[in-house]
């Protein structure tokens, strides 16, 4: 091989290699750049978007979106995004301010659009909404004044005692994803937002969303079976008041030292009230939450002699393991509750065994 031929040969190889190395970057640039406010939404976007999306969560796994303070880099990342997804219902009190302060001019998805909060329940009985095109907005047009929540009485959460310093939920429970039937509304809203941002892959988004919705239906059926094994009027204690939707969906009473937000600690009167409730009622177990301090629950356990039966996930995914996805998080919560509280006759175990090990 002559030196000229050799040079041409190696030049061709170099060009080919450089092209191959450039492909991943090019593919990444072609993906829809999505910013989600917190980890649960980010996972939902990934499930619907698949290989067509690149998703970043402003508040990552184990992070508390109630108390998050946006950083300057968040505004810069938002300006480069193709789509922004957030919960709404005042869950991220900082999100509207972040959008207003930055240069982002693209569409946004309010994942709870179509879920009317009425003391923690959705409007009507139909949770299987299949089309929510109105959930996709240009961010300048977000006018939440249409939602009048003054009618909702949540006095039992002692909100007057808490200064949420900009993280107030406005008296409504924003944790609607904890009812999987309402989680389906999140998915359809996200699907429609991705289609609006990337219509070329509409068919893929619809197909992936349909499979995901079927998985959520199967999960809901499984959780109902597990919760049916629990004694009637079962009550449990968690770190903050986030399980209202789960409670209404599956018939379990959740009590907590804190209110809807995690920002302020409970009053001494609230702690004394809970201790009395635990002692007077069949509150069989207490549960930590992954994104709240364990100190309050540990204190209640010490005062009442009730066991801490495990960790539940409400507002953030785990960094790894089963609870690192939305479906996995819900499966984990249902299993931990079932294992700690199921009636002995439901699974053939003795009363001692159903108190189970508390290493979850």
């Amino acid at each position: 091989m002559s030196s000229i031929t050799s040079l041409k040969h190696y030049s061709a190889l170099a060009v080919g290699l450089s092209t191959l190395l450039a492909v991943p970057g090019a593919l990444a640039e072609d993906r829809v750049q999505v910013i989600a406010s917190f980890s649960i939404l980010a996972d939902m976007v990934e499930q619907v978007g698949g290989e067509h999306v690149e998703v970043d969560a402003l508040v990552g796994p184990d992070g508390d979106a109630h108390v998050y303070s946006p950083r300057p880099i968040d505004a810069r990342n938002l300006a480069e995004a193709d789509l922004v997804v957030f919960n709404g219902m005042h869950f991220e009190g900082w999100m509207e301010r972040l959008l207003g302060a930055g240069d982002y001019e693209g569409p946004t998805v309010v994942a709870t659009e179509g879920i009317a909060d009425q003391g923690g329940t959705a409007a009507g009985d139909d949770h299987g909404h299949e089309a929510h095109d109105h959930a996709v907005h240009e961010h300048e047009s977000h006018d939440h004044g249409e939602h009048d929540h003054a009618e909702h009485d949540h006095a039992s959460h002692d909100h007057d005692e808490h200064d949420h310093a900009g993280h107030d939920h406005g008296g409504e429970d924003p944790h609607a994803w904890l009812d999987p039937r309402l989680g389906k509304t999140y998915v359809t809203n996200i699907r429609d937002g991705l289609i609006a941002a990337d219509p070329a892959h509409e068919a893929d988004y619809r197909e992936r969303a349909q499979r995901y919705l079927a998985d959520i239906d199967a999960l809901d059926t499984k959780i109902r079976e597990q919760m049916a094994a629990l004694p009637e009027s079962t009550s449990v204690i968690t770190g903050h008041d986030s399980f209202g939707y789960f409670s209404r969906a599956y018939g379990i009473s959740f009590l907590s030292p804190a209110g809807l937000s995690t920002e302020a600690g409970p009053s001494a009167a609230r702690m004394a009230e809970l201790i009395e409730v635990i002692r007077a009622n069949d509150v069989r177990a207490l549960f930590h939450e992954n994104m709240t301090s364990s100190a309050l629950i540990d204190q209640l356990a010490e005062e009442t002699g009730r066991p801490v039966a495990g960790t539940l996930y409400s507002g953030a995914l785990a960094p790894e393991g089963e609870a690192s996805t939305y479906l996995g998080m819900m499966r984990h919560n249902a299993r931990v509750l079932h294992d700690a509280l199921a009636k002995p006759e439901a699974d053939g175990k003795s009363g001692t065994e159903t108190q189970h090990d508390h290493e979850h």
Side-chain angles (χ1 to χ4, degrees):
M1 182 182 293
S2 68
S3 60
I4 295 178
T5 303
S6 179
L7 179 60
K8 289 181 178 178
H9 176 71
Y10 287 115
S11 295
L13 287 176
V15 170
L17 181 59
S18 64
T19 301
L20 287 174
L21 292 174
V23 167
L27 290 176
E29 290 177 4
D30 289 341
R31 294 173 182 168
V32 180
Q33 303 298 308
V34 184
I35 298 292
S37 57
F38 66 111
S39 57
I40 294 172
L41 292 185
D43 176 63
M44 289 180 168
V45 173
E46 289 179 344
Q47 299 302 324
V48 177
E51 68 273 16
H52 302 306
V53 300
E54 188 79 21
V55 188
D56 286 316
L58 296 177
V59 184
D62 281 343
D64 187 353
H66 296 92
V67 297
Y68 183 70
S69 295
R71 306 160 298 169
I73 193 174
D74 293 334
R76 293 197 295 271
N77 290 338
L78 239 63
E80 298 174 359
D82 300 310
L83 181 67
V84 172
V85 180
F86 62 103
N87 188 76
M89 286 187 176
H90 305 288
F91 180 65
E92 316 94 331
W94 40 269
M95 192 68 189
E96 291 283 1
R97 296 194 302 274
L98 179 60
L99 286 167
D103 297 325
Y104 181 71
E105 297 181 353
T108 61
V109 170
V110 182
T112 57
E113 192 79 36
I115 299 174
D117 184 89
Q118 297 180 350
T121 60
D125 295 324
D126 180 14
H127 301 292
H129 306 296
E130 285 301 318
H132 298 283
D133 294 333
H134 56 284
V136 184
H137 307 278
E138 293 298 325
H139 83 273
E140 295 92 346
S141 64
H142 287 163
D143 179 8
H144 295 294
E146 65 188 58
H147 301 294
D148 181 9
H149 303 298
E151 68 189 69
H152 304 306
D153 180 10
H154 294 280
S156 63
H157 297 310
D158 296 330
H159 290 305
D160 291 339
E161 298 177 15
H162 304 304
D163 177 12
H164 297 310
H167 301 285
D168 187 2
H169 294 318
E172 61 183 332
D173 183 352
H175 306 85
W177 61 85
L178 288 171
D179 181 344
R181 297 170 302 174
L182 301 182
K184 293 174 65 177
T185 300
Y186 281 65
V187 172
T188 54
N189 285 337
I190 289 168
R191 176 202 65 194
D192 294 342
L194 289 172
I195 291 171
D198 181 27
H201 294 109
E202 176 177 354
D204 287 348
Y205 296 139
R206 290 193 180 279
E207 181 180 353
R208 292 184 65 91
Q210 196 60 39
R211 291 200 303 266
Y212 195 31
L213 292 171
D215 290 341
I216 293 175
D217 280 335
L219 172 69
D220 179 51
T221 298
K222 177 63 175 177
I223 293 176
R224 290 185 184 283
E225 292 173 356
Q226 289 175 298
M227 297 304 100
L230 304 188
E232 293 183 9
S233 303
T234 296
S235 295
V236 299
I237 308 291
T238 57
H240 87 294
D241 192 6
S242 58
F243 283 89
Y245 286 96
F246 190 98
S247 173
R248 288 171 176 85
Y250 302 116
I252 301 174
S253 175
F254 286 78
L255 306 172
S256 67
L260 286 166
S261 176
T262 59
E263 186 160 11
S267 66
R270 177 61 175 161
M271 290 292 286
E273 175 190 351
L274 270 179
I275 290 171
E276 181 60 30
V277 167
I278 292 169
R279 288 173 174 166
N281 295 276
D282 185 28
V283 177
R284 300 174 58 187
L286 316 179
F287 295 86
H288 290 146
E289 283 185 75
N290 68 317
M291 50 173 264
T292 59
S293 170
S294 62
L296 293 175
I297 295 300
D298 291 342
Q299 180 182 344
L300 287 172
E302 183 177 351
E303 292 278 354
T304 63
R306 298 301 196 277
V308 177
T311 297
L312 301 178
Y313 293 80
S314 59
L317 299 178
E320 58 185 11
E322 180 184 34
S324 63
T325 68
Y326 169 63
L327 294 181
M329 174 192 85
M330 296 298 294
R331 280 195 297 267
H332 167 91
N333 287 347
R335 189 187 68 251
V336 169
L337 287 165
H338 174 272
D339 288 354
L341 304 169
K343 294 178 287 189
E345 62 271 19
D347 52 16
K349 294 180 180 179
S350 69
T352 302
E353 288 174 322
T354 48
Q355 292 297 321
H356 91 317
D357 72 82
H358 304 298
E359 298 300 320
H360 288 286

